[in-house]
Structures are given as C-alpha cells and as structure tokens.
Amino acid sequence: MNFTETPLPGAFVVALAPIADERGSFARTYCRRTFAAHGIDLPVAQCNRSHNARRRTLRGMHFQRAPYEEAKLVRCSRGALWDVIIDLRQDSPTRGRWFGVELSERNDTSLYVPAGFAHGFQTLADDTVVEYTMSAFYEPGAASGVRWNDPAFGITWPVADPILSDRDRRYEDWCP
C-alpha cells in the first residue's frame, strides 16, 4: 500500500500495490502494522457495504458525535464515486475545509478518514458498491451530519441534481 497525505492532516489516500501474474492479482486492502507505521490506529469494529443503484446518488455528509467518533477506511469495489471529507475537529488548523478524491474499482484507491471528520460521496456510475472499515460501532443516537451543499464548505460536487435521502436533505448548515 502507498499512503499519500491529503491537505487535511491525518487523512490519507491509500493506493493498493497489487501483485500480478498470469492468474490475475492480489492486493492487501488493510494491514494494522502498515497503517500503524503511518501513525494510523484503525481498530476494526465493523465493516459496512453500500450498494448504490444509480449514478448521482449522494450520501452524506455524515459523522458520529462525541464520544462515538469513528475513523473509517472507504473503498469502491464496483463502479466509481467522488469521496468527500470535511475536517470538523475543534482544534484543527484545517477545521471547516474539505477534500475530495475519486475512488473506483479501476484505480484501486481508498480514503482513510480520521475521527472528527464528516464523510460523504456521490456516485459517478450506476451500480456502485462502497465498502467501509470502521473503527467504532454505529451508535444511532450519535449519528449526525451537515448539509451536503452548505456554502460554509463550498464543496464542488461533480454531478448536478443529486439523488438524496430525506435525512441528508434535512441536515442543517454547519455552526462552527
């Protein structure tokens, strides 16, 4: 795996390093030792899968409130998506800034999202599958979010007219 730090400290783009031969290829998608060597502690509490039938689907911007914050490793195993994170950490010099990266089955790239970040994505292809490795268990009472198009962040989404859930549509603007 190859780690590239994003402009938001603690968040990394993680590219797989597949080993290929005549049979195909093999790549490690997570290794606690390798992540620890990059200063990342990602104890695995649960793994999730999201299937998105249609291009334009937007899920986000989600996070869990303290004390249930969660770190996650996000990868696209089918299709393609624009993955976005927002730094909401109280004492961070990049608080309120966002970062986006394309994840796809072709580019073998994941995004490591530290605790204290909001996360969301928009699908760029029909039939997109997203997998999450989570550091904390889902706590329904701590689930929260900020509005996907809040002008405070100015996120550039690649596809107009997103398909949204009622919950994601109702999130309020961020109040720092």
Side-chain angles (χ1 to χ4, degrees), residues 8 13 25-26 35 38 40 48 58 69 80-81 84 89-90 92 97 104 107 109 113 130 161:
L8 306 179
V13 174
S25 66
F26 171 86
F35 273 69
H38 289 86
I40 300 169
N48 304 323
L58 195 151
E69 299 96 340
L81 60 99
V84 175
R89 297 173 295 182
Q90 192 70 34
S92 173
R97 292 192 201 156
S104 73
N107 70 14
T109 300
V113 184
V130 185
D161 191 27

Side-chain angles (χ1 to χ4, degrees), residues 14-49:
V14 182
L16 299 184
I19 300 167
D21 62 22
E22 66 279 353
R23 300 168 296 169
S25 66
F26 171 86
R28 183 169 286 140
T29 59
Y30 174 76
C31 174
R32 189 172 63 196
R33 287 182 191 147
T34 304
F35 273 69
H38 289 86
I40 300 169
D41 180 25
L42 182 61
V44 178
Q46 66 185 50
C47 296
N48 304 323
R49 179 182 183 269

Side-chain angles (χ1 to χ4, degrees), residues 7-8 82 84-87 94 96-100 153-157:
L8 306 179
W82 179 244
V84 175
I85 55 176
I86 304 170
D87 187 348
T94 56
R97 292 192 201 156
W98 68 275
F99 173 79
F153 305 120
I155 298 169
T156 303
W157 294 100

Side-chain angles (χ1 to χ4, degrees), residues 143-157:
S144 192
V146 293
R147 194 161 53 94
W148 65 277
N149 61 350
D150 184 337
F153 305 120
I155 298 169
T156 303
W157 294 100

Side-chain angles (χ1 to χ4, degrees), residues 33-93:
R33 287 182 191 147
T34 304
F35 273 69
H38 289 86
I40 300 169
D41 180 25
L42 182 61
V44 178
Q46 66 185 50
C47 296
N48 304 323
R49 179 182 183 269
S50 165
H51 176 257
N52 303 274
R54 296 178 53 203
R55 177 182 177 271
R56 297 183 9 243
T57 299
L58 195 151
R59 295 180 189 253
M61 301 297 296
H62 305 148
F63 63 92
Q64 286 197 160
R65 291 185 309 276
Y68 302 101
E69 299 96 340
E70 58 194 3
K72 58 182 87 168
L73 182 63
V74 183
R75 65 185 292 274
C76 179
S77 57
R78 183 170 54 216
L81 60 99
W82 179 244
D83 207 35
V84 175
I85 55 176
I86 304 170
D87 187 348
L88 299 180
R89 297 173 295 182
Q90 192 70 34
D91 297 326
S92 173

